[in-house]
Amino acid sequence: MNKRFLFLMVFFNTVTAFAQIPSGYYNDAQGLSGEQLRIALHNIIKNHTVISYNGLWNAYRYTDKKPNGKVWDMYSNCDFTFSSDQCGSYTDICDCYNREHSVPQSWFGEASPMVSDIFHVVPTDGKVNGYRSNHPFGECANGTVYGLGKLGTSTTPGYTSTVFEPSNEYKGDFARIYFYMATRYMNVLQNWGGASFSGNNLSVWTQNMMVAWHISDPVSQKEIDRNNVIYSNYQHNRNPFVDHPEWVFEIWGNGNAVLDPQNYTAYAFSSDQINVVWNLNAAQNDILLAFNTVNSFGTPQPDNTIAGAGNVLATGQLTSFEHTGLAYQTYYYKIWSSNADGEFSNGIVVSATPYKAEPQNHATSFRVTNSNSYMVSLAWSDATGNPLPDKYLILASEGTVTPPVDGTAIYDGALAKNVNYGIQNVTFNGLEANKTYHFSVFPYTNYGAAIDYKITGAPTATASTGGATEANLVITEIAGRGYNGNFNDEYIEISNLGGVSASLSGYTLEYYESSLEATLNLTGTVAPNSGYVVAVRTTHSSSISPNFVPTSSFSINNPCYVALKQNDTVIDQAGSSSDKFDAKDKNFEFTNCGGNNSPTSAWTNLGSSNGTPGVVNCLSGIDEEFETEVEGLVIYPNPVTSTLTLESTTELPAFTIYNIFGQALASYEFATTQVDVSALPSGIYFIRFSNGLEGVRFVKQ
């Protein structure tokens, strides 16, 4: 008998001392173990007094009553009143409680006495019961939360379909209910359906999981009291595994297979290191960790070697490993748990790839292809070598270009552009006239804190903007429902930031909500540094004097996308077809910074009354509040496609994710370290912390 097993027996026997077990009730089971013990217990608890299915409602008043007198529901924290909150129909969680068959009744054909056996038919929230349906109990790390439980794809070794995972607080309760059912009805189990049973016993994966739950959530006073009331007042039989928790181990041992480690993952740490982390299984068994460059592994041996493919990295009570000296390729890692008898779990495989090293070569033929008084276009030939860049950063400056720093990403602005590898050109708009600009292109690999620029020897180019001889039309202001929600205060302002007058001949303004709502053909002339106001309603009663009132009536609603076109070519836009501008109940002044209207400190919320049309200056960079990364915090991967991880040297405060228009999208509680962002559209987002730390930003691909 190992020390852990001895400790569990002492602990469970201590709990048993509080139960009111009738003298001599278990005499026929004394000294037995294994299947003989289960048979003896079956004979003791069978032939119980059967209560009717309707009789359960009244019995719950005595078997499942909280200290506050409400229904004790293991599926939710709702406070149900006996009788008056009895289902009935339901729409939402907390509407009512009903009778939940812990072992779904469809598995045994709704037959008696199982259908009304109060040991497994418990009161639960009706809506959560409906979500659970007839899915087996299991564990689903990424399941959807309903009440106190979760529903999702099983992460329990040995089963891969949908499961319902109860709260940790009640996992032991349900495990002991299942041990009761596997004993009370062992003579008919072979006729049952359901993934939790096989032959005349629990299925192996269910045994392993239920033993772990039995260990992690020991017998509570609630179960002891329930056991006593059922015996005294209703069925006149008992749940042996509440009275004698140690008998679980006598019959099922520590499970018929060793459980795998939990929360197992691998991630890139640097260009030559992968970190692998996990938690020990519920039995705190040792681990054996191995790697390979292909997803193929042999069989672990009692001496902690592997017969077949794979290379052993670590054994023992570790919960992490740093794999160093790696090349850029994918590595596979398999981990097993092993018990004192040299038995191994099934094992789990994960994979990871180190970050790329710095790009081998620079782009070539970096050159200016076009320029005017406010714009410079550049082109180049892609870099070659191994590794190739993921992207290029092109920087502009009126003086010497300051190279970027590894580990610090620079985001798009008036003087900075990021371009994917394979795209060999870029345009800088909104530049000042009569200025000389210097440009450099830096290839880089990876993202966020792992970003690695090739800096030394970066190619350069120089261009001068001409005199103020061109017009430069941009959208500079949108007002939506600005004056106490009055639709008649809505307008769009277009401004000429160039040095000469602009004819609007050939210009159109397109407005989208779910689709194209209106196309406005503009007319007239806009003087230099002047605005042109378009009223979007046919009746416009505010103090604004529009230059143009379209015959097509539409409103600036939520969300919208406005595009200014010249001969069907987009010149400027507010929002985009994939991430639309939210103009509802707001007035914003904003300006063109590179053609995409990313938020800058030039944005001004004009309040509840309509704003005054006017040109605003284009400032480079995104809101300074988001320029500084929080000390001790690393977010990765960045850009991200699905799961964003936040690692910090201190506990994270609560935080909120905002889009580039300042809309709060989701808030997260303290100590959240992984955020699912897969549903977000591509674009730039910001994280703002509740304790006033500087914000950080990330890019969703």
Side-chain angles (χ1 to χ4, degrees):
M1 181 179 295
N2 63 45
K3 292 181 179 179
R4 178 174 176 78
F5 186 69
L6 178 61
F7 166 78
L8 289 169
M9 285 191 65
V10 172
F11 176 81
F12 284 130
N13 280 325
T14 301
V15 172
T16 302
F18 294 97
Q20 300 170 7
I21 305 172
S23 177
Y25 187 77
Y26 292 116
N27 280 354
D28 290 345
Q30 298 303 319
L32 301 178
S33 63
E35 196 66 359
Q36 287 184 328
L37 175 58
R38 189 163 72 114
I39 293 170
L41 294 175
H42 166 75
N43 290 327
I44 292 170
I45 64 177
K46 69 179 181 180
N47 299 323
H48 67 264
T49 300
V50 178
I51 61 175
S52 70
Y53 192 49
N54 284 334
L56 295 174
W57 292 120
N58 185 67
Y60 290 153
R61 295 171 178 267
Y62 305 96
T63 60
D64 297 272
K65 183 169 66 173
K66 291 181 182 179
N68 65 359
K70 300 295 185 178
V71 177
W72 204 317
D73 171 17
M74 295 189 286
Y75 278 6
S76 79
N77 281 324
C78 308
D79 269 346
F80 294 119
T81 300
F82 287 101
S83 186
S84 62
D85 287 335
Q86 183 176 307
C87 293
S89 61
Y90 50 82
T91 302
D92 300 311
I93 295 174
C94 291
D95 279 354
C96 61
Y97 70 97
N98 62 9
R99 297 161 294 187
E100 158 71 324
H101 291 82
S102 301
V103 176
Q105 57 182 324
S106 62
W107 294 4
F108 51 78
E110 303 180 20
S112 182
M114 293 81 72
V115 73
S116 62
D117 191 327
I118 197 170
F119 275 111
H120 89 110
V121 186
V122 295
T124 64
D125 184 282
K127 185 65 174 179
V128 182
N129 187 355
Y131 284 125
R132 189 257 166 129
S133 185
N134 64 349
H135 298 296
F137 286 131
E139 294 179 352
C140 50
N142 300 313
T144 302
V145 175
Y146 298 111
L148 294 177
K150 292 191 296 186
L151 185 71
T153 301
S154 173
T155 52
T156 304
Y159 190 69
T160 58
S161 297
T162 302
V163 296
F164 181 82
E165 180 176 354
S167 166
N168 291 339
E169 179 183 3
Y170 298 116
K171 282 180 177 176
D173 301 55
F174 287 115
R176 286 176 283 277
I177 287 172
Y178 267 59
F179 293 134
Y180 165 87
M181 295 294 283
T183 301
R184 167 62 183 86
Y185 300 105
M186 63 180 296
N187 61 318
V188 294
L189 286 184
Q190 65 269 18
N191 299 320
W192 290 13
S196 299
F197 296 93
S198 178
N200 75 332
N201 209 330
L202 297 168
S203 57
V204 171
W205 72 269
T206 304
Q207 291 180 39
N208 297 334
M209 178 186 69
M210 293 295 185
V211 169
W213 289 5
H214 177 64
I215 294 171
S216 64
D217 176 29
V219 175
S220 64
Q221 190 63 46
K222 169 190 182 295
E223 293 173 85
I224 294 171
D225 294 340
R226 191 173 196 269
N227 201 19
N228 291 333
V229 173
I230 292 173
Y231 174 79
S232 300
N233 299 345
Y234 296 101
Q235 295 190 170
H236 309 301
N237 69 341
R238 305 183 67 85
N239 185 336
F241 308 103
V242 173
D243 291 334
H244 287 278
E246 75 277 9
W247 282 347
V248 169
F249 306 104
E250 293 290 348
I251 297 173
W252 290 279
N254 287 316
N256 287 352
V258 182
L259 297 174
D260 284 316
Q262 302 297 303
N263 304 319
Y264 181 47
T265 188
Y267 63 90
F269 180 80
S270 68
S271 61
D272 66 351
Q273 179 174 326
I274 291 173
N275 289 351
V276 190
V277 296
W278 61 89
N279 296 122
L280 299 179
N281 64 15
Q284 299 292 292
N285 291 135
D286 287 351
I287 60 91
L288 186 152
L289 175 69
F291 87 97
N292 205 348
T293 54
V294 294
N295 189 8
S296 177
F297 292 90
T299 304
Q301 303 299 304
D303 62 353
N304 284 329
T305 61
I306 295 179
N311 302 280
V312 175
L313 289 174
T315 61
Q317 287 281 297
L318 301 177
T319 56
S320 65
F321 186 82
E322 297 177 356
H323 195 194
T324 59
L326 305 180
Y328 179 71
Q329 66 180 80
T330 299
Y331 292 83
Y332 297 87
Y333 299 89
K334 188 165 186 177
I335 194 168
W336 296 266
S337 298
S338 63
N339 63 18
D341 296 325
E343 299 170 327
F344 287 86
S345 65
N346 293 328
I348 316 171
V349 176
V350 295
S351 63
T353 304
Y355 290 122
K356 288 183 181 178
E358 177 185 287
Q360 183 178 8
N361 295 313
H362 281 290
T364 58
S365 301
F366 186 50
R367 62 200 183 276
V368 176
T369 58
N370 192 19
S371 65
N372 58 33
S373 63
Y374 61 88
M375 177 273 292
V376 172
S377 295
L378 303 110
W380 58 88
S381 297
D382 270 327
T384 59
N386 184 23
L388 294 171
D390 292 317
K391 287 190 174 185
Y392 300 101
L393 171 67
I394 303 92
L395 296 179
S397 174
E398 293 181 41
T400 302
V401 174
T402 301
V405 177
D406 287 344
T408 303
I410 297 177
Y411 296 93
D412 286 356
L415 301 178
K417 305 292 179 187
N418 291 270
V419 177
N420 288 331
Y421 178 80
I423 298 176
Q424 302 175 61
N425 60 83
V426 72
T427 296
F428 287 80
N429 284 301
L431 303 177
E432 293 186 51
N434 289 315
K435 295 284 186 180
T436 297
Y437 287 91
H438 303 279
F439 303 88
S440 292
V441 57
F442 304 93
Y444 65 87
T445 51
N446 311 314
Y447 306 96
I451 200 165
D452 196 345
Y453 297 100
K454 185 171 182 63
I455 296 170
T456 303
T460 61
T462 301
S464 296
T465 54
T469 58
E470 292 92 9
N472 181 16
L473 288 176
V474 295
I475 302 170
T476 49
E477 188 172 2
I478 289 183
R481 300 189 189 180
Y483 188 73
N484 296 324
N486 190 335
F487 285 89
N488 293 328
D489 293 322
E490 301 174 21
Y491 63 86
I492 301 170
E493 180 192 64
I494 301 166
S495 295
N496 180 6
L497 304 184
V500 298
S501 295
S503 170
L504 293 178
S505 177
Y507 283 87
T508 58
L509 193 65
E510 292 186 352
Y511 175 84
Y512 298 78
E513 286 182 29
S514 58
S515 59
L516 179 61
E517 301 290 328
T519 299
L520 312 177
N521 297 313
L522 304 183
T523 59
T525 300
V526 186
N529 294 314
S530 297
Y532 180 95
V533 178
V534 177
V536 300
R537 302 289 288 186
T538 54
T539 57
H540 202 278
S541 61
S542 76
S543 59
I544 297 172
S545 299
N547 300 82
F548 179 69
V549 178
T551 56
S552 175
S553 174
F554 63 94
S555 62
I556 297 175
N557 212 323
N558 176 26
C560 72
Y561 161 40
V562 180
L564 176 65
K565 291 186 174 183
Q566 182 184 28
N567 299 323
D568 287 329
T569 299
V570 175
I571 303 301
D572 194 20
Q573 64 188 47
S576 69
S577 57
S578 62
D579 191 5
K580 296 179 180 178
F581 176 75
D582 180 4
K584 184 178 181 180
D585 299 322
K586 297 181 190 297
N587 291 330
F588 287 109
E589 283 191 352
F590 60 99
T591 186
N592 175 274
C593 292
N596 64 359
N597 289 311
S598 295
T600 74
S601 53
W603 283 52
T604 304
N605 188 339
L606 300 181
S608 60
S609 61
N610 62 276
T612 301
V615 175
V616 291
N617 294 323
C618 179
L619 302 181
S620 63
I622 296 177
D623 190 339
E624 293 299 321
E625 182 179 358
F626 293 97
E627 288 297 331
T628 304
E629 292 190 355
V630 178
E631 184 177 356
L633 172 68
V634 177
I635 63 173
Y636 63 88
N638 191 7
V640 60
T641 56
S642 57
T643 301
L644 184 70
T645 299
L646 292 79
E647 287 189 351
S648 176
T649 56
T650 59
E651 182 172 308
L652 288 174
F655 59 89
T656 301
I657 294 180
Y658 294 80
N659 64 14
I660 62 173
F661 302 119
Q663 295 172 296
L665 303 180
S667 296
Y668 298 88
E669 296 302 321
F670 297 94
T672 299
T673 58
Q674 290 193 315
V675 180
D676 183 4
V677 298
S678 58
L680 294 179
S682 299
I684 297 174
Y685 296 86
F686 307 102
I687 296 175
R688 189 190 301 274
F689 295 96
S690 62
N691 64 351
L693 288 173
E694 300 98 330
V696 294
R697 95 192 112 190
F698 65 93
V699 177
K700 169 62 170 59
Q701 288 184 317

